[in-house]
Amino acid sequence: MVNKDFFAALADLERERGIAEDVFIGALSTALASAYKRINEGNSANVEVRLDPDRCTIRFYYTRTVVDAEEAGEGEITLADAKLEKKSAKVGDVLSKEFVPKDFSRIAAQTAKQVILQRLHETERDNTLSEFTDKEGELMSGLVRKVDSRSVYIELGKGTIEGVLMPQDQVPGERYEAGDRIKVYVKRVKNGGRNAQVFVSRSAPGLVRRLFEEEVPEIKQGIVLIKAVAREAGHRTKLAITSVDPHIDAVGACVGNKGARVNAVVQELGGEKVDIILYSENPLEFIAKALSPATVLSITQTDERAAVAVVPDDKLSLAIGRDGQNARLAARLTGWKIDVKSASAAEKLNIGEYEAQESEMEEPVADGESDV
């Protein structure tokens, strides 16, 4: 059968929806064969549908494999019967015979339509997932579509793909309601056939990194660099930054005029505290800064990537933080194991490689860190 309009429609689909014509033809061939087989259950032959876009034709064929047996199974034909159709037939040959389907009912056509639409959906989903693979580690805005007892489902991009916010990627205390528009960090794209999913996060340190990149032009331009991020979502984040231009104040750039830039990030994070810290190539100096807002008297290296930080007695609780949070985040930020001791407890310790004099620490505390 010839159908020029049908193949013209295929060309339109390829242009409008980005689906290759050969992919659609393959889906259609399978669907038509499946539908015909469904209404002709007594027919043991395999059905093959061949679409030729060049000639705009659709042809149906029976295909049967020649077997050396007295009785043929499904999709088979005995050698004796095969020789009646083709004298040169031999075992293993596949015989094809064109036919015109007469009983291709409305139900069969509907079945074919459903299979085609499903394949189209799968192809579009795969194309979209391929695009999202490049977005791993990026910040995206999404619309909360559904919230169940565990996960939050978010429409991403133009609504063609769904992001999943798992319990471990949610921020403690944050509430998500259908219809909310939120920003998420694309954590991972898992392409597993029908179970393909995009996993997003609100708790990842990468979310804070991307939010600052969005708010601070100097970071986008590569003038201010984010060296490290340590985060306990919903509570506190420590951000280590540096400037490649000595004339640019890295902390001032991130804080913004009257705190506008950092406050925009804090608002998106639901009030989470953010410490902005100047990075130092000297690891001991970096540790002293990372323990902000506490004042550090001295740092002593005790082992490879391990140090003791000495703080005033009245600043010990501030340096350690509630449930050890401040010290824990400082350790994550620097990559060092940090033991915090009060001055009275460290009287018998020798001050090691780096001593944080009051004069050295005053400027970073005032200008080098922001505790929001």
PDB file of all heavy atoms in Angstrom, residues 17-49:
ATOM      1  N   ARG A  17       9.994  17.063  16.565  1.00  0.00           N
ATOM      2  CA  ARG A  17      10.257  16.405  17.849  1.00  0.00           C
ATOM      3  C   ARG A  17      11.645  15.802  17.940  1.00  0.00           C
ATOM      4  O   ARG A  17      12.005  15.197  18.946  1.00  0.00           O
ATOM      5  CB  ARG A  17       9.191  15.321  18.101  1.00  0.00           C
ATOM      6  CG  ARG A  17       7.781  15.923  18.066  1.00  0.00           C
ATOM      7  CD  ARG A  17       6.694  14.888  18.231  1.00  0.00           C
ATOM      8  NE  ARG A  17       6.588  14.414  19.599  1.00  0.00           N
ATOM      9  CZ  ARG A  17       5.575  13.671  20.049  1.00  0.00           C
ATOM     10  NH1 ARG A  17       4.592  13.346  19.228  1.00  0.00           N
ATOM     11  NH2 ARG A  17       5.553  13.266  21.292  1.00  0.00           N
ATOM     12  N   GLY A  18      12.418  15.975  16.882  1.00  0.00           N
ATOM     13  CA  GLY A  18      13.806  15.529  16.923  1.00  0.00           C
ATOM     14  C   GLY A  18      13.974  14.028  16.959  1.00  0.00           C
ATOM     15  O   GLY A  18      14.974  13.512  17.464  1.00  0.00           O
ATOM     16  N   ILE A  19      13.002  13.284  16.440  1.00  0.00           N
ATOM     17  CA  ILE A  19      13.081  11.825  16.431  1.00  0.00           C
ATOM     18  C   ILE A  19      13.472  11.361  15.022  1.00  0.00           C
ATOM     19  O   ILE A  19      12.799  11.705  14.045  1.00  0.00           O
ATOM     20  CB  ILE A  19      11.746  11.187  16.836  1.00  0.00           C
ATOM     21  CG1 ILE A  19      11.362  11.663  18.232  1.00  0.00           C
ATOM     22  CG2 ILE A  19      11.822   9.673  16.781  1.00  0.00           C
ATOM     23  CD1 ILE A  19       9.993  11.213  18.672  1.00  0.00           C
ATOM     24  N   ALA A  20      14.545  10.616  14.922  1.00  0.00           N
ATOM     25  CA  ALA A  20      15.027  10.164  13.620  1.00  0.00           C
ATOM     26  C   ALA A  20      13.966   9.312  12.926  1.00  0.00           C
ATOM     27  O   ALA A  20      13.290   8.506  13.558  1.00  0.00           O
ATOM     28  CB  ALA A  20      16.322   9.374  13.783  1.00  0.00           C
ATOM     29  N   GLU A  21      13.852   9.495  11.614  1.00  0.00           N
ATOM     30  CA  GLU A  21      12.830   8.777  10.843  1.00  0.00           C
ATOM     31  C   GLU A  21      13.014   7.265  10.943  1.00  0.00           C
ATOM     32  O   GLU A  21      12.044   6.515  11.070  1.00  0.00           O
ATOM     33  CB  GLU A  21      12.897   9.215   9.379  1.00  0.00           C
ATOM     34  CG  GLU A  21      11.772   8.646   8.518  1.00  0.00           C
ATOM     35  CD  GLU A  21      11.870   9.094   7.072  1.00  0.00           C
ATOM     36  OE1 GLU A  21      12.823   8.661   6.393  1.00  0.00           O
ATOM     37  OE2 GLU A  21      11.011   9.864   6.638  1.00  0.00           O
ATOM     38  N   ASP A  22      14.273   6.798  10.921  1.00  0.00           N
ATOM     39  CA  ASP A  22      14.503   5.351  10.974  1.00  0.00           C
ATOM     40  C   ASP A  22      14.064   4.761  12.315  1.00  0.00           C
ATOM     41  O   ASP A  22      13.601   3.616  12.386  1.00  0.00           O
ATOM     42  CB  ASP A  22      15.970   5.011  10.694  1.00  0.00           C
ATOM     43  CG  ASP A  22      16.919   5.700  11.655  1.00  0.00           C
ATOM     44  OD1 ASP A  22      16.505   6.674  12.310  1.00  0.00           O
ATOM     45  OD2 ASP A  22      18.088   5.270  11.746  1.00  0.00           O
ATOM     46  N   VAL A  23      14.191   5.556  13.394  1.00  0.00           N
ATOM     47  CA  VAL A  23      13.735   5.088  14.709  1.00  0.00           C
ATOM     48  C   VAL A  23      12.214   4.929  14.709  1.00  0.00           C
ATOM     49  O   VAL A  23      11.664   3.934  15.191  1.00  0.00           O
ATOM     50  CB  VAL A  23      14.156   6.079  15.822  1.00  0.00           C
ATOM     51  CG1 VAL A  23      13.511   5.718  17.146  1.00  0.00           C
ATOM     52  CG2 VAL A  23      15.668   6.098  15.959  1.00  0.00           C
ATOM     53  N   PHE A  24      11.545   5.920  14.145  1.00  0.00           N
ATOM     54  CA  PHE A  24      10.084   5.869  14.092  1.00  0.00           C
ATOM     55  C   PHE A  24       9.619   4.722  13.205  1.00  0.00           C
ATOM     56  O   PHE A  24       8.668   4.005  13.533  1.00  0.00           O
ATOM     57  CB  PHE A  24       9.536   7.195  13.566  1.00  0.00           C
ATOM     58  CG  PHE A  24       8.050   7.309  13.702  1.00  0.00           C
ATOM     59  CD1 PHE A  24       7.480   7.785  14.863  1.00  0.00           C
ATOM     60  CD2 PHE A  24       7.208   6.903  12.684  1.00  0.00           C
ATOM     61  CE1 PHE A  24       6.105   7.883  15.005  1.00  0.00           C
ATOM     62  CE2 PHE A  24       5.833   6.996  12.802  1.00  0.00           C
ATOM     63  CZ  PHE A  24       5.282   7.488  13.971  1.00  0.00           C
ATOM     64  N   ILE A  25      10.294   4.527  12.068  1.00  0.00           N
ATOM     65  CA  ILE A  25       9.911   3.447  11.150  1.00  0.00           C
ATOM     66  C   ILE A  25      10.078   2.093  11.814  1.00  0.00           C
ATOM     67  O   ILE A  25       9.247   1.192  11.682  1.00  0.00           O
ATOM     68  CB  ILE A  25      10.737   3.537   9.847  1.00  0.00           C
ATOM     69  CG1 ILE A  25      10.222   4.713   9.000  1.00  0.00           C
ATOM     70  CG2 ILE A  25      10.660   2.243   9.048  1.00  0.00           C
ATOM     71  CD1 ILE A  25      11.023   4.978   7.753  1.00  0.00           C
ATOM     72  N   GLY A  26      11.173   1.945  12.581  1.00  0.00           N
ATOM     73  CA  GLY A  26      11.384   0.690  13.287  1.00  0.00           C
ATOM     74  C   GLY A  26      10.287   0.429  14.301  1.00  0.00           C
ATOM     75  O   GLY A  26       9.778  -0.693  14.428  1.00  0.00           O
ATOM     76  N   ALA A  27       9.892   1.487  15.031  1.00  0.00           N
ATOM     77  CA  ALA A  27       8.819   1.353  16.014  1.00  0.00           C
ATOM     78  C   ALA A  27       7.498   1.010  15.343  1.00  0.00           C
ATOM     79  O   ALA A  27       6.735   0.167  15.815  1.00  0.00           O
ATOM     80  CB  ALA A  27       8.683   2.645  16.809  1.00  0.00           C
ATOM     81  N   LEU A  28       7.235   1.661  14.223  1.00  0.00           N
ATOM     82  CA  LEU A  28       5.985   1.425  13.517  1.00  0.00           C
ATOM     83  C   LEU A  28       5.928   0.018  12.940  1.00  0.00           C
ATOM     84  O   LEU A  28       4.888  -0.650  13.014  1.00  0.00           O
ATOM     85  CB  LEU A  28       5.816   2.453  12.394  1.00  0.00           C
ATOM     86  CG  LEU A  28       4.534   2.358  11.582  1.00  0.00           C
ATOM     87  CD1 LEU A  28       3.324   2.584  12.491  1.00  0.00           C
ATOM     88  CD2 LEU A  28       4.529   3.363  10.449  1.00  0.00           C
ATOM     89  N   SER A  29       7.030  -0.445  12.389  1.00  0.00           N
ATOM     90  CA  SER A  29       7.066  -1.800  11.830  1.00  0.00           C
ATOM     91  C   SER A  29       6.743  -2.833  12.894  1.00  0.00           C
ATOM     92  O   SER A  29       5.943  -3.752  12.686  1.00  0.00           O
ATOM     93  CB  SER A  29       8.453  -2.079  11.227  1.00  0.00           C
ATOM     94  OG  SER A  29       8.738  -1.190  10.178  1.00  0.00           O
ATOM     95  N   THR A  30       7.364  -2.685  14.051  1.00  0.00           N
ATOM     96  CA  THR A  30       7.125  -3.616  15.159  1.00  0.00           C
ATOM     97  C   THR A  30       5.683  -3.542  15.636  1.00  0.00           C
ATOM     98  O   THR A  30       5.040  -4.569  15.912  1.00  0.00           O
ATOM     99  CB  THR A  30       8.080  -3.298  16.321  1.00  0.00           C
ATOM    100  OG1 THR A  30       9.426  -3.367  15.865  1.00  0.00           O
ATOM    101  CG2 THR A  30       7.881  -4.258  17.471  1.00  0.00           C
ATOM    102  N   ALA A  31       5.161  -2.308  15.720  1.00  0.00           N
ATOM    103  CA  ALA A  31       3.794  -2.127  16.217  1.00  0.00           C
ATOM    104  C   ALA A  31       2.766  -2.737  15.274  1.00  0.00           C
ATOM    105  O   ALA A  31       1.823  -3.402  15.708  1.00  0.00           O
ATOM    106  CB  ALA A  31       3.524  -0.641  16.406  1.00  0.00           C
ATOM    107  N   LEU A  32       2.923  -2.507  13.986  1.00  0.00           N
ATOM    108  CA  LEU A  32       1.970  -3.047  13.017  1.00  0.00           C
ATOM    109  C   LEU A  32       2.008  -4.577  13.003  1.00  0.00           C
ATOM    110  O   LEU A  32       0.971  -5.237  12.949  1.00  0.00           O
ATOM    111  CB  LEU A  32       2.274  -2.499  11.618  1.00  0.00           C
ATOM    112  CG  LEU A  32       1.972  -1.006  11.419  1.00  0.00           C
ATOM    113  CD1 LEU A  32       2.444  -0.552  10.049  1.00  0.00           C
ATOM    114  CD2 LEU A  32       0.493  -0.717  11.593  1.00  0.00           C
ATOM    115  N   ALA A  33       3.208  -5.143  13.068  1.00  0.00           N
ATOM    116  CA  ALA A  33       3.333  -6.600  13.089  1.00  0.00           C
ATOM    117  C   ALA A  33       2.693  -7.173  14.342  1.00  0.00           C
ATOM    118  O   ALA A  33       1.998  -8.196  14.308  1.00  0.00           O
ATOM    119  CB  ALA A  33       4.803  -6.995  13.003  1.00  0.00           C
ATOM    120  N   SER A  34       2.917  -6.497  15.483  1.00  0.00           N
ATOM    121  CA  SER A  34       2.349  -6.954  16.747  1.00  0.00           C
ATOM    122  C   SER A  34       0.829  -6.905  16.707  1.00  0.00           C
ATOM    123  O   SER A  34       0.145  -7.837  17.163  1.00  0.00           O
ATOM    124  CB  SER A  34       2.883  -6.079  17.884  1.00  0.00           C
ATOM    125  OG  SER A  34       2.251  -6.394  19.108  1.00  0.00           O
ATOM    126  N   ALA A  35       0.291  -5.823  16.145  1.00  0.00           N
ATOM    127  CA  ALA A  35      -1.167  -5.682  16.080  1.00  0.00           C
ATOM    128  C   ALA A  35      -1.784  -6.740  15.173  1.00  0.00           C
ATOM    129  O   ALA A  35      -2.827  -7.325  15.496  1.00  0.00           O
ATOM    130  CB  ALA A  35      -1.521  -4.284  15.587  1.00  0.00           C
ATOM    131  N   TYR A  36      -1.167  -6.985  14.051  1.00  0.00           N
ATOM    132  CA  TYR A  36      -1.719  -7.992  13.134  1.00  0.00           C
ATOM    133  C   TYR A  36      -1.671  -9.377  13.778  1.00  0.00           C
ATOM    134  O   TYR A  36      -2.615 -10.157  13.687  1.00  0.00           O
ATOM    135  CB  TYR A  36      -0.941  -8.004  11.820  1.00  0.00           C
ATOM    136  CG  TYR A  36      -1.524  -8.976  10.830  1.00  0.00           C
ATOM    137  CD1 TYR A  36      -2.629  -8.616  10.049  1.00  0.00           C
ATOM    138  CD2 TYR A  36      -1.017 -10.267  10.699  1.00  0.00           C
ATOM    139  CE1 TYR A  36      -3.198  -9.522   9.163  1.00  0.00           C
ATOM    140  CE2 TYR A  36      -1.569 -11.176   9.822  1.00  0.00           C
ATOM    141  CZ  TYR A  36      -2.663 -10.796   9.051  1.00  0.00           C
ATOM    142  OH  TYR A  36      -3.237 -11.692   8.176  1.00  0.00           O
ATOM    143  N   LYS A  37      -0.569  -9.676  14.455  1.00  0.00           N
ATOM    144  CA  LYS A  37      -0.420 -10.979  15.104  1.00  0.00           C
ATOM    145  C   LYS A  37      -1.495 -11.174  16.173  1.00  0.00           C
ATOM    146  O   LYS A  37      -2.010 -12.279  16.370  1.00  0.00           O
ATOM    147  CB  LYS A  37       0.973 -11.053  15.739  1.00  0.00           C
ATOM    148  CG  LYS A  37       1.369 -12.429  16.226  1.00  0.00           C
ATOM    149  CD  LYS A  37       1.724 -13.330  15.061  1.00  0.00           C
ATOM    150  CE  LYS A  37       2.261 -14.658  15.556  1.00  0.00           C
ATOM    151  NZ  LYS A  37       2.548 -15.576  14.456  1.00  0.00           N
ATOM    152  N   ARG A  38      -1.838 -10.088  16.823  1.00  0.00           N
ATOM    153  CA  ARG A  38      -2.811 -10.171  17.911  1.00  0.00           C
ATOM    154  C   ARG A  38      -4.190 -10.612  17.409  1.00  0.00           C
ATOM    155  O   ARG A  38      -4.898 -11.342  18.085  1.00  0.00           O
ATOM    156  CB  ARG A  38      -2.907  -8.807  18.602  1.00  0.00           C
ATOM    157  CG  ARG A  38      -3.862  -8.771  19.772  1.00  0.00           C
ATOM    158  CD  ARG A  38      -3.836  -7.416  20.437  1.00  0.00           C
ATOM    159  NE  ARG A  38      -4.778  -7.329  21.534  1.00  0.00           N
ATOM    160  CZ  ARG A  38      -4.980  -6.246  22.268  1.00  0.00           C
ATOM    161  NH1 ARG A  38      -4.285  -5.154  22.016  1.00  0.00           N
ATOM    162  NH2 ARG A  38      -5.857  -6.250  23.235  1.00  0.00           N
ATOM    163  N   ILE A  39      -4.588 -10.173  16.225  1.00  0.00           N
ATOM    164  CA  ILE A  39      -5.921 -10.524  15.712  1.00  0.00           C
ATOM    165  C   ILE A  39      -5.889 -11.748  14.805  1.00  0.00           C
ATOM    166  O   ILE A  39      -6.905 -12.138  14.263  1.00  0.00           O
ATOM    167  CB  ILE A  39      -6.548  -9.332  14.956  1.00  0.00           C
ATOM    168  CG1 ILE A  39      -5.715  -8.982  13.724  1.00  0.00           C
ATOM    169  CG2 ILE A  39      -6.716  -8.147  15.869  1.00  0.00           C
ATOM    170  CD1 ILE A  39      -6.387  -7.980  12.807  1.00  0.00           C
ATOM    171  N   ASN A  40      -4.717 -12.325  14.656  1.00  0.00           N
ATOM    172  CA  ASN A  40      -4.592 -13.538  13.830  1.00  0.00           C
ATOM    173  C   ASN A  40      -3.819 -14.590  14.605  1.00  0.00           C
ATOM    174  O   ASN A  40      -2.756 -15.062  14.189  1.00  0.00           O
ATOM    175  CB  ASN A  40      -3.892 -13.231  12.503  1.00  0.00           C
ATOM    176  CG  ASN A  40      -4.739 -12.406  11.569  1.00  0.00           C
ATOM    177  OD1 ASN A  40      -5.523 -12.927  10.779  1.00  0.00           O
ATOM    178  ND2 ASN A  40      -4.594 -11.092  11.667  1.00  0.00           N
ATOM    179  N   GLU A  41      -4.326 -14.918  15.784  1.00  0.00           N
ATOM    180  CA  GLU A  41      -3.618 -15.831  16.677  1.00  0.00           C
ATOM    181  C   GLU A  41      -3.437 -17.211  16.078  1.00  0.00           C
ATOM    182  O   GLU A  41      -2.535 -17.950  16.439  1.00  0.00           O
ATOM    183  CB  GLU A  41      -4.370 -15.938  18.010  1.00  0.00           C
ATOM    184  CG  GLU A  41      -4.400 -14.628  18.780  1.00  0.00           C
ATOM    185  CD  GLU A  41      -5.150 -14.752  20.076  1.00  0.00           C
ATOM    186  OE1 GLU A  41      -5.714 -15.836  20.322  1.00  0.00           O
ATOM    187  OE2 GLU A  41      -5.178 -13.775  20.845  1.00  0.00           O
ATOM    188  N   GLY A  42      -4.312 -17.590  15.140  1.00  0.00           N
ATOM    189  CA  GLY A  42      -4.192 -18.925  14.551  1.00  0.00           C
ATOM    190  C   GLY A  42      -3.099 -19.026  13.512  1.00  0.00           C
ATOM    191  O   GLY A  42      -2.736 -20.122  13.084  1.00  0.00           O
ATOM    192  N   ASN A  43      -2.564 -17.905  13.093  1.00  0.00           N
ATOM    193  CA  ASN A  43      -1.515 -17.897  12.078  1.00  0.00           C
ATOM    194  C   ASN A  43      -0.161 -18.106  12.740  1.00  0.00           C
ATOM    195  O   ASN A  43       0.258 -17.311  13.570  1.00  0.00           O
ATOM    196  CB  ASN A  43      -1.537 -16.574  11.317  1.00  0.00           C
ATOM    197  CG  ASN A  43      -0.719 -16.626  10.037  1.00  0.00           C
ATOM    198  OD1 ASN A  43       0.311 -17.269   9.993  1.00  0.00           O
ATOM    199  ND2 ASN A  43      -1.205 -15.928   9.016  1.00  0.00           N
ATOM    200  N   SER A  44       0.521 -19.187  12.354  1.00  0.00           N
ATOM    201  CA  SER A  44       1.787 -19.519  13.001  1.00  0.00           C
ATOM    202  C   SER A  44       2.973 -18.795  12.377  1.00  0.00           C
ATOM    203  O   SER A  44       4.084 -18.881  12.884  1.00  0.00           O
ATOM    204  CB  SER A  44       2.024 -21.037  12.938  1.00  0.00           C
ATOM    205  OG  SER A  44       2.137 -21.460  11.580  1.00  0.00           O
ATOM    206  N   ALA A  45       2.752 -18.102  11.273  1.00  0.00           N
ATOM    207  CA  ALA A  45       3.862 -17.418  10.615  1.00  0.00           C
ATOM    208  C   ALA A  45       4.230 -16.131  11.350  1.00  0.00           C
ATOM    209  O   ALA A  45       3.393 -15.502  11.986  1.00  0.00           O
ATOM    210  CB  ALA A  45       3.486 -17.092   9.170  1.00  0.00           C
ATOM    211  N   ASN A  46       5.507 -15.753  11.244  1.00  0.00           N
ATOM    212  CA  ASN A  46       5.911 -14.458  11.745  1.00  0.00           C
ATOM    213  C   ASN A  46       5.494 -13.400  10.734  1.00  0.00           C
ATOM    214  O   ASN A  46       5.488 -13.648   9.526  1.00  0.00           O
ATOM    215  CB  ASN A  46       7.431 -14.413  11.942  1.00  0.00           C
ATOM    216  CG  ASN A  46       7.876 -15.270  13.110  1.00  0.00           C
ATOM    217  OD1 ASN A  46       7.195 -15.335  14.116  1.00  0.00           O
ATOM    218  ND2 ASN A  46       9.010 -15.940  12.957  1.00  0.00           N
ATOM    219  N   VAL A  47       5.138 -12.241  11.228  1.00  0.00           N
ATOM    220  CA  VAL A  47       4.732 -11.161  10.343  1.00  0.00           C
ATOM    221  C   VAL A  47       5.804 -10.080  10.365  1.00  0.00           C
ATOM    222  O   VAL A  47       6.278  -9.676  11.425  1.00  0.00           O
ATOM    223  CB  VAL A  47       3.372 -10.573  10.783  1.00  0.00           C
ATOM    224  CG1 VAL A  47       3.001  -9.382   9.908  1.00  0.00           C
ATOM    225  CG2 VAL A  47       2.301 -11.634  10.716  1.00  0.00           C
ATOM    226  N   GLU A  48       6.179  -9.644   9.203  1.00  0.00           N
ATOM    227  CA  GLU A  48       7.183  -8.593   9.068  1.00  0.00           C
ATOM    228  C   GLU A  48       6.577  -7.459   8.258  1.00  0.00           C
ATOM    229  O   GLU A  48       5.957  -7.692   7.209  1.00  0.00           O
ATOM    230  CB  GLU A  48       8.422  -9.151   8.369  1.00  0.00           C
ATOM    231  CG  GLU A  48       9.551  -8.154   8.215  1.00  0.00           C
ATOM    232  CD  GLU A  48      10.760  -8.770   7.523  1.00  0.00           C
ATOM    233  OE1 GLU A  48      11.110  -9.933   7.853  1.00  0.00           O
ATOM    234  OE2 GLU A  48      11.341  -8.114   6.649  1.00  0.00           O
ATOM    235  N   VAL A  49       6.729  -6.257   8.742  1.00  0.00           N
ATOM    236  CA  VAL A  49       6.219  -5.083   8.039  1.00  0.00           C
ATOM    237  C   VAL A  49       7.412  -4.261   7.571  1.00  0.00           C
ATOM    238  O   VAL A  49       8.292  -3.924   8.361  1.00  0.00           O
ATOM    239  CB  VAL A  49       5.312  -4.234   8.948  1.00  0.00           C
ATOM    240  CG1 VAL A  49       4.744  -3.051   8.171  1.00  0.00           C
ATOM    241  CG2 VAL A  49       4.181  -5.085   9.510  1.00  0.00           C
TER     242      VAL A  49
END
